[in-house]
Amino acid sequence: MRSASMPPAAGTGLEPGFRGVICASFGTGDTAKLHSDGQPKHDFRFDAATPEALSQLRSALGCSKVGVRLLLAGPTPDIRAAAAVAAECGLQQEEMTLLSEEAAPRAIYCPHCHSTTTTLRVAGSEVRCKGCGTNLTTTDHFSRRMGAYLGYQAHVEEAS
Amino acid sequence: MTVAALPISPHPAVDGGLQLEVTNVSPQTDSIVSITLADPSGRKLPSYVPGSHLVVQYGGEGVNAYSLTGSGNDPSEYTISVLRVEEGAGGSMAMHRLTAGDHVYVSRPRSAFAPASTATHHLLVAAGIGITPVLSHARAAADHGTTSSLIYVYRPGAGAHVDEARELLGPALTECSNRDSFQTVLTEQLTAQGVGTHLYVCGPIPFMDAVLDHARELGWPSARLHSEAFGAAELDEGEPFMVNLVRSGLRLEVPAGVSLLDTLEKAGKSVPNMCRKGICGECVLPVLRGVPQHRDLYLTDQEKAENTTMMCCVSRSEDPELELDL
């Protein structure tokens, strides 16, 4: 059994050709208690899905080989952002497990300036885009590629 | 040179397709020929997705599907390679009799083995005549600037397109002539692929099953695995069952050893069909009641579980009676 975490080394700390389980936890998310069925396991712990965190994940997946699995735990917007990066690297949905925290804020994608804004409001309500200030109506339309829910300009149909 | 007359009417599977002229026939091995087809007036042919096949009408009424070996990008000719099967239904023998100048009815190219658009590397695995669609993949990958590698298993002296594969792939080609060396190479390759790799396999069904099972054991999910069947396994006779054709008001018995398709045809019902082996998907029928015994290679696992359609050429019934929308 090799369920213990591997000691972190330089860079990603991942041995080249890794085909075990990569566990990444964000914020208070916890993957340490999870078993990996005797597979080699590598843990990452991030505060949030910052560009640096995502780039570390990207290089870890870059030196992994098919057979690798990804386990993500933490607030939904963070693990969804990480899952989107993994998919871009070529990881398939069936190779990822997402453990998301309930009642976490939702990331809303702005199609006008391409930035995302987090909100605790339910779908159908309005949120002001952090990027361009557009008032966005939020929806239930979730994009795995963007890791966010689609927003659209509020009251746009009323414009003359 | 004898110029074969075109059959009087095109088979439904090639209807709406093309009428092409054989421009070249060249032997690949003792039992495999490459046949090049072009428009008689020299027009360009429809482009196709890599891994596509062409349905070709042979003789008076038979049709067979053959993989196109080109990249599919803006073709002025179509090339297929045909293995002569002495004990087959006669299609490959008729194809081997074609000579330059003959005219044939063919379908438009049909895609059932497409490359994954998001893949950054294609791992191709072929056995014998299974080289044909993966050669198309390798050519298209080279055109698009995507990398590919190929493991090609063939009996010494019986390998088609070996020179082309060598030229196209260089060191990315591994040739194997026996099972043991193939297993070693396959395991090595399956454990050394970056996460952008997809696998494509074509060959006899037991070969493909072995490759796919081995890949799954090494952690490859189905989304990364692509396969193209060209020969169906022998199926057992099955149990007799009844079919109730609701719209026709007919009730028929399907005896053991006789297919549902044969039974329907004998009763005067015409069902579009082509391969009659559960591969092509032409003879799909809607099921209203009863659980089909799915024996085809066409429907997805999910479609099979829904039990609302069946391939009447090979599939039978789990229940004593099936109700069909026919």
Side-chain angles (χ1 to χ4, degrees), chain B residues 154-207:
Chain B
Y154 59 89
R155 277 178 292 112
H161 300 286
V162 173
D163 291 341
E164 286 155 279
R166 285 178 186 159
E167 194 181 328
L168 199 57
L169 290 142
L173 169 70
T174 311
E175 295 167 55
C176 295
S177 58
N178 70 67
R179 196 173 284 263
D180 289 344
S181 67
F182 170 66
Q183 278 308 326
T184 312
V185 170
L186 182 66
T187 307
E188 264 170 32
Q189 298 260 337
L190 287 175
T191 51
Q193 299 298 320
V195 295
T197 301
H198 281 243
L199 179 141
Y200 309 79
V201 58
C202 186
I205 287 176
F207 172 82

CSV table of all heavy atoms in Angstrom, one decimal, chain B residues 154-207:
chain,number,residue,atom,x,y,z
B,154,TYR,N,1.4,-7.1,-38.1
B,154,TYR,CA,1.1,-7.8,-39.3
B,154,TYR,C,2.0,-9.0,-39.4
B,154,TYR,O,3.1,-9.1,-38.8
B,154,TYR,CB,1.2,-6.9,-40.5
B,154,TYR,CG,2.5,-6.3,-40.8
B,154,TYR,CD1,3.5,-7.0,-41.5
B,154,TYR,CD2,2.9,-5.1,-40.2
B,154,TYR,CE1,4.7,-6.5,-41.7
B,154,TYR,CE2,4.1,-4.6,-40.4
B,154,TYR,CZ,5.1,-5.2,-41.2
B,154,TYR,OH,6.3,-4.7,-41.4
B,155,ARG,N,1.5,-10.0,-40.2
B,155,ARG,CA,2.3,-11.2,-40.4
B,155,ARG,C,3.4,-10.8,-41.4
B,155,ARG,O,3.1,-10.1,-42.4
B,155,ARG,CB,1.5,-12.4,-40.9
B,155,ARG,CG,0.8,-13.1,-39.8
B,155,ARG,CD,-0.1,-14.2,-40.4
B,155,ARG,NE,-1.2,-13.7,-41.1
B,155,ARG,CZ,-1.4,-13.8,-42.5
B,155,ARG,NH1,-0.5,-14.4,-43.2
B,155,ARG,NH2,-2.5,-13.3,-43.0
B,156,PRO,N,4.6,-11.3,-41.2
B,156,PRO,CA,5.7,-11.0,-42.2
B,156,PRO,C,5.3,-11.2,-43.6
B,156,PRO,O,4.7,-12.3,-43.9
B,156,PRO,CB,6.9,-11.9,-41.8
B,156,PRO,CG,6.6,-12.3,-40.3
B,156,PRO,CD,5.1,-12.2,-40.2
B,157,GLY,N,5.5,-10.2,-44.4
B,157,GLY,CA,5.1,-10.3,-45.8
B,157,GLY,C,3.7,-10.0,-46.1
B,157,GLY,O,3.3,-9.9,-47.3
B,158,ALA,N,2.8,-9.9,-45.1
B,158,ALA,CA,1.4,-9.7,-45.3
B,158,ALA,C,1.0,-8.3,-44.9
B,158,ALA,O,-0.2,-8.0,-44.7
B,158,ALA,CB,0.6,-10.7,-44.6
B,159,GLY,N,1.9,-7.3,-44.7
B,159,GLY,CA,1.6,-6.0,-44.3
B,159,GLY,C,1.3,-5.1,-45.4
B,159,GLY,O,2.1,-4.8,-46.3
B,160,ALA,N,0.1,-4.5,-45.5
B,160,ALA,CA,-0.3,-3.5,-46.5
B,160,ALA,C,0.2,-2.1,-46.0
B,160,ALA,O,0.2,-1.9,-44.8
B,160,ALA,CB,-1.8,-3.5,-46.7
B,161,HIS,N,0.5,-1.2,-46.9
B,161,HIS,CA,0.9,0.2,-46.6
B,161,HIS,C,2.1,0.3,-45.7
B,161,HIS,O,2.2,1.4,-45.0
B,161,HIS,CB,-0.3,0.9,-46.0
B,161,HIS,CG,-1.5,0.9,-46.9
B,161,HIS,ND1,-1.6,1.7,-48.1
B,161,HIS,CD2,-2.7,0.2,-46.9
B,161,HIS,CE1,-2.8,1.5,-48.7
B,161,HIS,NE2,-3.5,0.6,-48.0
B,162,VAL,N,2.9,-0.7,-45.6
B,162,VAL,CA,4.0,-0.6,-44.6
B,162,VAL,C,5.0,0.6,-45.0
B,162,VAL,O,5.4,1.4,-44.2
B,162,VAL,CB,4.8,-1.9,-44.5
B,162,VAL,CG1,6.1,-1.8,-43.7
B,162,VAL,CG2,3.9,-3.0,-44.0
B,163,ASP,N,5.3,0.6,-46.3
B,163,ASP,CA,6.2,1.7,-46.8
B,163,ASP,C,5.7,3.1,-46.5
B,163,ASP,O,6.4,4.0,-46.0
B,163,ASP,CB,6.5,1.5,-48.2
B,163,ASP,CG,7.4,0.3,-48.5
B,163,ASP,OD1,8.0,-0.2,-47.5
B,163,ASP,OD2,7.4,-0.2,-49.7
B,164,GLU,N,4.4,3.3,-46.8
B,164,GLU,CA,3.8,4.6,-46.5
B,164,GLU,C,3.8,4.9,-45.1
B,164,GLU,O,4.1,6.0,-44.7
B,164,GLU,CB,2.3,4.5,-47.0
B,164,GLU,CG,2.1,4.6,-48.5
B,164,GLU,CD,0.8,4.0,-48.9
B,164,GLU,OE1,0.8,2.7,-49.0
B,164,GLU,OE2,-0.1,4.7,-49.2
B,165,ALA,N,3.5,3.9,-44.2
B,165,ALA,CA,3.5,4.1,-42.8
B,165,ALA,C,4.9,4.5,-42.3
B,165,ALA,O,5.1,5.4,-41.5
B,165,ALA,CB,3.0,2.9,-42.0
B,166,ARG,N,5.9,3.8,-42.8
B,166,ARG,CA,7.3,4.2,-42.4
B,166,ARG,C,7.7,5.6,-42.8
B,166,ARG,O,8.3,6.3,-42.0
B,166,ARG,CB,8.3,3.2,-43.1
B,166,ARG,CG,8.3,1.8,-42.5
B,166,ARG,CD,9.2,0.9,-43.2
B,166,ARG,NE,9.1,-0.5,-42.7
B,166,ARG,CZ,9.4,-1.6,-43.3
B,166,ARG,NH1,10.0,-1.5,-44.6
B,166,ARG,NH2,9.3,-2.8,-42.8
B,167,GLU,N,7.3,6.0,-44.0
B,167,GLU,CA,7.6,7.3,-44.5
B,167,GLU,C,6.9,8.4,-43.7
B,167,GLU,O,7.5,9.4,-43.3
B,167,GLU,CB,7.2,7.4,-46.0
B,167,GLU,CG,7.9,8.6,-46.7
B,167,GLU,CD,7.4,8.6,-48.1
B,167,GLU,OE1,7.2,7.6,-48.7
B,167,GLU,OE2,7.3,9.7,-48.6
B,168,LEU,N,5.6,8.1,-43.4
B,168,LEU,CA,4.8,9.1,-42.7
B,168,LEU,C,5.2,9.2,-41.3
B,168,LEU,O,5.2,10.3,-40.7
B,168,LEU,CB,3.3,8.5,-42.8
B,168,LEU,CG,2.2,9.5,-42.6
B,168,LEU,CD1,2.2,10.6,-43.6
B,168,LEU,CD2,0.9,8.7,-42.8
B,169,LEU,N,5.5,8.1,-40.6
B,169,LEU,CA,5.6,8.2,-39.1
B,169,LEU,C,7.1,8.1,-38.7
B,169,LEU,O,7.4,8.5,-37.5
B,169,LEU,CB,4.8,7.0,-38.5
B,169,LEU,CG,3.3,7.3,-38.6
B,169,LEU,CD1,2.6,6.0,-38.9
B,169,LEU,CD2,2.8,7.9,-37.4
B,170,GLY,N,8.0,7.6,-39.5
B,170,GLY,CA,9.4,7.5,-39.1
B,170,GLY,C,9.5,6.7,-37.8
B,170,GLY,O,8.9,5.6,-37.7
B,171,PRO,N,10.2,7.3,-36.8
B,171,PRO,CA,10.4,6.5,-35.6
B,171,PRO,C,9.2,6.4,-34.7
B,171,PRO,O,9.2,5.6,-33.8
B,171,PRO,CB,11.5,7.4,-34.8
B,171,PRO,CG,11.4,8.7,-35.4
B,171,PRO,CD,10.9,8.6,-36.8
B,172,ALA,N,8.1,7.1,-35.1
B,172,ALA,CA,6.8,6.9,-34.4
B,172,ALA,C,6.1,5.7,-34.8
B,172,ALA,O,5.0,5.4,-34.3
B,172,ALA,CB,6.0,8.1,-34.5
B,173,LEU,N,6.6,4.9,-35.7
B,173,LEU,CA,6.0,3.6,-36.1
B,173,LEU,C,6.7,2.5,-35.4
B,173,LEU,O,7.9,2.4,-35.4
B,173,LEU,CB,6.1,3.4,-37.6
B,173,LEU,CG,5.7,2.0,-38.2
B,173,LEU,CD1,4.2,1.8,-38.0
B,173,LEU,CD2,6.1,1.9,-39.6
B,174,THR,N,5.9,1.6,-34.8
B,174,THR,CA,6.5,0.4,-34.2
B,174,THR,C,5.8,-0.8,-34.9
B,174,THR,O,4.6,-0.9,-34.9
B,174,THR,CB,6.2,0.2,-32.7
B,174,THR,OG1,6.6,1.5,-32.1
B,174,THR,CG2,7.0,-0.9,-32.1
B,175,GLU,N,6.7,-1.6,-35.6
B,175,GLU,CA,6.1,-2.8,-36.3
B,175,GLU,C,6.3,-4.0,-35.5
B,175,GLU,O,7.3,-4.2,-34.9
B,175,GLU,CB,6.8,-3.0,-37.7
B,175,GLU,CG,6.6,-1.8,-38.6
B,175,GLU,CD,7.5,-1.8,-39.8
B,175,GLU,OE1,7.6,-2.8,-40.5
B,175,GLU,OE2,8.2,-0.8,-40.0
B,176,CYS,N,5.2,-4.8,-35.4
B,176,CYS,CA,5.3,-6.1,-34.6
B,176,CYS,C,4.8,-7.2,-35.4
B,176,CYS,O,3.9,-7.1,-36.2
B,176,CYS,CB,4.4,-6.0,-33.4
B,176,CYS,SG,4.8,-4.7,-32.2
B,177,SER,N,5.5,-8.3,-35.3
B,177,SER,CA,5.1,-9.5,-36.1
B,177,SER,C,4.6,-10.6,-35.2
B,177,SER,O,4.2,-11.7,-35.7
B,177,SER,CB,6.2,-9.9,-37.0
B,177,SER,OG,7.3,-10.2,-36.2
B,178,ASN,N,4.7,-10.5,-33.9
B,178,ASN,CA,4.2,-11.5,-33.0
B,178,ASN,C,3.6,-10.9,-31.8
B,178,ASN,O,3.8,-9.8,-31.4
B,178,ASN,CB,5.3,-12.6,-32.7
B,178,ASN,CG,6.3,-12.0,-31.7
B,178,ASN,OD1,6.0,-11.7,-30.6
B,178,ASN,ND2,7.5,-11.8,-32.2
B,179,ARG,N,2.7,-11.8,-31.2
B,179,ARG,CA,1.9,-11.4,-30.0
B,179,ARG,C,2.7,-10.9,-28.8
B,179,ARG,O,2.4,-9.9,-28.2
B,179,ARG,CB,1.1,-12.6,-29.6
B,179,ARG,CG,-0.1,-12.3,-28.7
B,179,ARG,CD,-0.9,-13.6,-28.6
B,179,ARG,NE,-1.7,-13.8,-29.8
B,179,ARG,CZ,-2.9,-13.5,-29.9
B,179,ARG,NH1,-3.6,-12.9,-28.9
B,179,ARG,NH2,-3.6,-13.8,-31.0
B,180,ASP,N,3.8,-11.6,-28.5
B,180,ASP,CA,4.6,-11.2,-27.3
B,180,ASP,C,5.2,-9.8,-27.5
B,180,ASP,O,5.2,-9.0,-26.6
B,180,ASP,CB,5.7,-12.2,-27.1
B,180,ASP,CG,5.1,-13.5,-26.6
B,180,ASP,OD1,3.9,-13.5,-26.1
B,180,ASP,OD2,5.8,-14.6,-26.6
B,181,SER,N,5.9,-9.6,-28.6
B,181,SER,CA,6.5,-8.3,-28.8
B,181,SER,C,5.4,-7.2,-28.8
B,181,SER,O,5.6,-6.1,-28.3
B,181,SER,CB,7.3,-8.2,-30.1
B,181,SER,OG,6.5,-8.3,-31.2
B,182,PHE,N,4.2,-7.5,-29.4
B,182,PHE,CA,3.2,-6.5,-29.4
B,182,PHE,C,2.7,-6.2,-28.0
B,182,PHE,O,2.6,-5.0,-27.6
B,182,PHE,CB,2.0,-7.0,-30.2
B,182,PHE,CG,0.8,-6.2,-30.1
B,182,PHE,CD1,0.8,-4.9,-30.6
B,182,PHE,CD2,-0.4,-6.6,-29.4
B,182,PHE,CE1,-0.3,-4.0,-30.4
B,182,PHE,CE2,-1.5,-5.8,-29.3
B,182,PHE,CZ,-1.5,-4.5,-29.8
B,183,GLN,N,2.5,-7.2,-27.1
B,183,GLN,CA,2.1,-6.9,-25.7
B,183,GLN,C,3.1,-6.0,-25.0
B,183,GLN,O,2.7,-5.1,-24.3
B,183,GLN,CB,2.0,-8.3,-25.0
B,183,GLN,CG,0.6,-9.0,-25.2
B,183,GLN,CD,-0.6,-8.1,-25.0
B,183,GLN,OE1,-0.6,-7.2,-24.1
B,183,GLN,NE2,-1.6,-8.3,-25.8
B,184,THR,N,4.4,-6.3,-25.2
B,184,THR,CA,5.4,-5.5,-24.5
B,184,THR,C,5.3,-4.0,-25.0
B,184,THR,O,5.2,-3.1,-24.2
B,184,THR,CB,6.8,-6.0,-24.8
B,184,THR,OG1,6.8,-7.4,-24.6
B,184,THR,CG2,7.8,-5.4,-24.0
B,185,VAL,N,5.2,-3.8,-26.3
B,185,VAL,CA,5.2,-2.5,-26.9
B,185,VAL,C,3.9,-1.8,-26.4
B,185,VAL,O,3.9,-0.6,-26.0
B,185,VAL,CB,5.2,-2.5,-28.4
B,185,VAL,CG1,4.9,-1.2,-29.0
B,185,VAL,CG2,6.6,-3.0,-28.9
B,186,LEU,N,2.8,-2.5,-26.4
B,186,LEU,CA,1.5,-1.9,-26.1
B,186,LEU,C,1.5,-1.4,-24.6
B,186,LEU,O,1.1,-0.3,-24.3
B,186,LEU,CB,0.4,-2.9,-26.3
B,186,LEU,CG,-1.0,-2.4,-26.0
B,186,LEU,CD1,-1.4,-1.3,-27.0
B,186,LEU,CD2,-2.1,-3.5,-26.0
B,187,THR,N,2.0,-2.3,-23.7
B,187,THR,CA,2.1,-1.9,-22.3
B,187,THR,C,2.9,-0.6,-22.1
B,187,THR,O,2.6,0.3,-21.4
B,187,THR,CB,2.6,-3.0,-21.4
B,187,THR,OG1,1.8,-4.2,-21.7
B,187,THR,CG2,2.5,-2.7,-20.0
B,188,GLU,N,4.1,-0.7,-22.8
B,188,GLU,CA,5.0,0.5,-22.7
B,188,GLU,C,4.3,1.8,-23.1
B,188,GLU,O,4.4,2.8,-22.5
B,188,GLU,CB,6.2,0.3,-23.7
B,188,GLU,CG,7.4,-0.3,-23.1
B,188,GLU,CD,8.4,-0.7,-24.2
B,188,GLU,OE1,8.4,0.0,-25.2
B,188,GLU,OE2,9.1,-1.6,-24.0
B,189,GLN,N,3.6,1.7,-24.3
B,189,GLN,CA,3.0,2.9,-24.9
B,189,GLN,C,1.8,3.4,-24.0
B,189,GLN,O,1.6,4.5,-23.8
B,189,GLN,CB,2.5,2.6,-26.3
B,189,GLN,CG,3.7,2.3,-27.2
B,189,GLN,CD,4.1,3.5,-28.1
B,189,GLN,OE1,3.3,4.4,-28.3
B,189,GLN,NE2,5.3,3.5,-28.5
B,190,LEU,N,1.0,2.4,-23.5
B,190,LEU,CA,-0.2,2.8,-22.8
B,190,LEU,C,0.2,3.4,-21.4
B,190,LEU,O,-0.6,4.1,-20.9
B,190,LEU,CB,-1.0,1.5,-22.5
B,190,LEU,CG,-1.8,1.0,-23.7
B,190,LEU,CD1,-2.5,-0.3,-23.3
B,190,LEU,CD2,-2.8,2.0,-24.2
B,191,THR,N,1.4,3.2,-20.9
B,191,THR,CA,1.8,3.8,-19.7
B,191,THR,C,2.6,5.1,-19.9
B,191,THR,O,3.1,5.6,-18.9
B,191,THR,CB,2.5,2.8,-18.8
B,191,THR,OG1,3.6,2.2,-19.5
B,191,THR,CG2,1.6,1.7,-18.3
B,192,ALA,N,2.8,5.5,-21.1
B,192,ALA,CA,3.8,6.6,-21.3
B,192,ALA,C,3.1,7.7,-22.1
B,192,ALA,O,3.8,8.6,-22.7
B,192,ALA,CB,5.0,6.1,-22.1
B,193,GLN,N,1.8,7.8,-22.1
B,193,GLN,CA,1.1,8.8,-22.9
B,193,GLN,C,0.7,10.0,-22.1
B,193,GLN,O,0.2,9.9,-21.0
B,193,GLN,CB,-0.2,8.3,-23.6
B,193,GLN,CG,0.1,7.1,-24.5
B,193,GLN,CD,1.0,7.5,-25.7
B,193,GLN,OE1,0.8,8.6,-26.2
B,193,GLN,NE2,1.9,6.7,-26.1
B,194,GLY,N,1.0,11.2,-22.6
B,194,GLY,CA,0.5,12.5,-21.9
B,194,GLY,C,-1.0,12.5,-21.9
B,194,GLY,O,-1.7,11.8,-22.6
B,195,VAL,N,-1.5,13.4,-21.0
B,195,VAL,CA,-2.9,13.4,-20.8
B,195,VAL,C,-3.8,13.9,-22.0
B,195,VAL,O,-5.0,14.0,-21.9
B,195,VAL,CB,-3.3,14.2,-19.5
B,195,VAL,CG1,-2.7,13.4,-18.3
B,195,VAL,CG2,-2.9,15.6,-19.5
B,196,GLY,N,-3.1,14.4,-23.1
B,196,GLY,CA,-3.8,14.8,-24.2
B,196,GLY,C,-4.0,13.7,-25.3
B,196,GLY,O,-4.5,14.0,-26.4
B,197,THR,N,-3.6,12.5,-24.9
B,197,THR,CA,-3.6,11.4,-25.9
B,197,THR,C,-4.9,10.7,-26.0
B,197,THR,O,-5.5,10.4,-25.0
B,197,THR,CB,-2.5,10.4,-25.6
B,197,THR,OG1,-1.2,11.1,-25.6
B,197,THR,CG2,-2.4,9.2,-26.6
B,198,HIS,N,-5.4,10.3,-27.2
B,198,HIS,CA,-6.5,9.4,-27.4
B,198,HIS,C,-6.0,8.2,-28.2
B,198,HIS,O,-5.0,8.3,-28.9
B,198,HIS,CB,-7.6,10.1,-28.3
B,198,HIS,CG,-8.4,11.0,-27.4
B,198,HIS,ND1,-9.8,10.9,-27.2
B,198,HIS,CD2,-8.1,12.2,-26.8
B,198,HIS,CE1,-10.2,11.8,-26.5
B,198,HIS,NE2,-9.2,12.6,-26.2
B,199,LEU,N,-6.7,7.1,-28.0
B,199,LEU,CA,-6.2,5.8,-28.6
B,199,LEU,C,-7.3,5.4,-29.6
B,199,LEU,O,-8.5,5.5,-29.4
B,199,LEU,CB,-6.1,4.7,-27.5
B,199,LEU,CG,-5.7,3.3,-28.0
B,199,LEU,CD1,-4.7,2.7,-27.0
B,199,LEU,CD2,-6.9,2.4,-28.2
B,200,TYR,N,-6.8,4.9,-30.8
B,200,TYR,CA,-7.6,4.4,-31.9
B,200,TYR,C,-7.2,3.0,-32.3
B,200,TYR,O,-6.0,2.9,-32.6
B,200,TYR,CB,-7.5,5.4,-33.1
B,200,TYR,CG,-7.7,6.8,-32.7
B,200,TYR,CD1,-6.7,7.5,-32.1
B,200,TYR,CD2,-9.0,7.4,-32.9
B,200,TYR,CE1,-6.9,8.9,-31.8
B,200,TYR,CE2,-9.1,8.8,-32.6
B,200,TYR,CZ,-8.1,9.5,-32.0
B,200,TYR,OH,-8.3,10.8,-31.6
B,201,VAL,N,-8.1,2.1,-32.3
B,201,VAL,CA,-7.7,0.7,-32.7
B,201,VAL,C,-8.6,0.2,-33.7
B,201,VAL,O,-9.8,0.4,-33.7
B,201,VAL,CB,-7.6,-0.2,-31.4
B,201,VAL,CG1,-9.0,-0.2,-30.7
B,201,VAL,CG2,-7.1,-1.6,-31.7
B,202,CYS,N,-8.0,-0.5,-34.7
B,202,CYS,CA,-8.7,-1.2,-35.7
B,202,CYS,C,-8.1,-2.5,-36.0
B,202,CYS,O,-6.8,-2.6,-36.2
B,202,CYS,CB,-8.8,-0.4,-37.0
B,202,CYS,SG,-9.9,-1.1,-38.2
B,203,GLY,N,-8.9,-3.6,-36.1
B,203,GLY,CA,-8.4,-4.9,-36.4
B,203,GLY,C,-9.5,-5.9,-36.1
B,203,GLY,O,-10.6,-5.5,-35.9
B,204,PRO,N,-9.1,-7.2,-36.1
B,204,PRO,CA,-10.2,-8.2,-35.8
B,204,PRO,C,-10.7,-7.9,-34.4
B,204,PRO,O,-10.0,-7.4,-33.5
B,204,PRO,CB,-9.4,-9.5,-35.8
B,204,PRO,CG,-8.2,-9.3,-36.6
B,204,PRO,CD,-7.8,-7.8,-36.4
B,205,ILE,N,-12.0,-8.3,-34.1
B,205,ILE,CA,-12.6,-8.0,-32.9
B,205,ILE,C,-11.9,-8.5,-31.6
B,205,ILE,O,-11.7,-7.8,-30.7
B,205,ILE,CB,-14.1,-8.4,-32.9
B,205,ILE,CG1,-14.8,-7.4,-33.8
B,205,ILE,CG2,-14.8,-8.4,-31.5
B,205,ILE,CD1,-16.3,-7.7,-34.1
B,206,PRO,N,-11.4,-9.8,-31.6
B,206,PRO,CA,-10.7,-10.2,-30.4
B,206,PRO,C,-9.4,-9.4,-30.1
B,206,PRO,O,-9.1,-9.1,-29.0
B,206,PRO,CB,-10.3,-11.7,-30.7
B,206,PRO,CG,-11.2,-12.1,-31.9
B,206,PRO,CD,-11.5,-10.8,-32.6
B,207,PHE,N,-8.8,-8.9,-31.2
B,207,PHE,CA,-7.6,-8.1,-31.1
B,207,PHE,C,-8.0,-6.7,-30.4
B,207,PHE,O,-7.4,-6.3,-29.5
B,207,PHE,CB,-7.0,-7.8,-32.5
B,207,PHE,CG,-5.9,-6.8,-32.5
B,207,PHE,CD1,-4.6,-7.2,-32.1
B,207,PHE,CD2,-6.1,-5.5,-32.9
B,207,PHE,CE1,-3.6,-6.2,-32.1
B,207,PHE,CE2,-5.1,-4.6,-32.9
B,207,PHE,CZ,-3.8,-4.9,-32.5
